[in-house]
Amino acid sequence: MLEISGFGTVLLFFIGGISFLLVTLLIGRILRPNDPTPEKQTTYESGEEPAGSAWGQFNVRFYIVALIFLLFEAELIFLFPWASVFGDENLVAQTDGLWSKFSMIEVFIFIGILLVGLAYVWAKGMLEWVRPKPKAPDYKSRIPSSAYSRYR
């Protein structure tokens, strides 16, 4: 009997996955109709005719808000398993309520970490859509500005 090492098993799974992908793409290519028309080849823009170039400037704040949303949304997913374990009456009864106290402390720590992250983002002004203009400091230095000219 042929014995396969751990790397051989990984290689077989890799080859199997790639071959499955290629076979399904080939079957889809064979079965689907191919009837390109000028209307089908146009860019879809919410049902409207595209206006201008797609390479326009895009505000970076959209990305920041989306990243913050994804961060908090992904961390919120961790609360669902906690709620299902916390709601298990058998587990709570077996530990004489110690498990429920531990779970509550754990979730308050977790939510506290989320709130610290939210406070940080809020303090940095990343949740404000229109940022205030930065103000120049009004500090008057005793060193004359001509002293800095030789360091430039």
Side-chain angles (χ1 to χ4, degrees):
M1 184 160 187
L2 182 64
E3 198 171 314
I4 300 176
S5 70
F7 291 113
T9 306
V10 171
L11 180 65
L12 285 177
F13 272 103
F14 185 73
I15 291 171
I18 296 294
S19 62
F20 178 76
L21 177 71
L22 292 176
V23 166
T24 53
L25 287 174
L26 181 66
I27 289 173
R29 175 117 176 138
I30 293 170
L31 294 179
R32 73 174 172 252
N34 186 11
D35 186 24
T37 61
E39 186 176 3
K40 289 181 183 178
Q41 299 295 329
T42 59
T43 305
Y44 180 74
E45 192 172 300
S46 301
E48 301 290 328
E49 289 292 324
S53 172
W55 293 102
Q57 291 289 330
F58 195 68
N59 199 336
V60 175
R61 291 188 194 111
F62 286 115
Y63 294 115
I64 293 172
V65 170
L67 286 174
I68 292 169
F69 171 77
L70 287 176
L71 174 72
F72 287 110
E73 187 69 19
E75 290 182 357
L76 189 64
I77 290 172
F78 289 117
L79 290 177
F80 289 116
W82 169 84
S84 64
V85 170
F86 182 68
D88 188 6
E89 293 177 11
N90 295 331
L91 186 60
V92 173
Q94 288 174 359
T95 59
D96 296 328
L98 184 64
W99 180 256
S100 61
K101 292 174 187 171
F102 174 72
S103 297
M104 287 302 291
I105 291 170
E106 181 183 9
V107 81
F108 281 134
I109 290 171
F110 182 75
I111 291 175
I113 292 170
L114 287 178
L115 289 176
V116 166
L118 181 63
Y120 175 78
V121 168
W122 195 347
K124 287 291 187 179
M126 293 181 186
L127 297 178
E128 298 174 13
W129 193 250
V130 178
R131 291 189 178 194
K133 299 275 185 205
K135 294 188 309 183
D138 56 354
Y139 177 74
K140 302 293 184 200
S141 175
R142 292 182 291 164
I143 301 172
S145 58
S146 61
Y148 294 108
S149 63
R150 61 182 155 180
Y151 294 110
R152 291 184 187 174

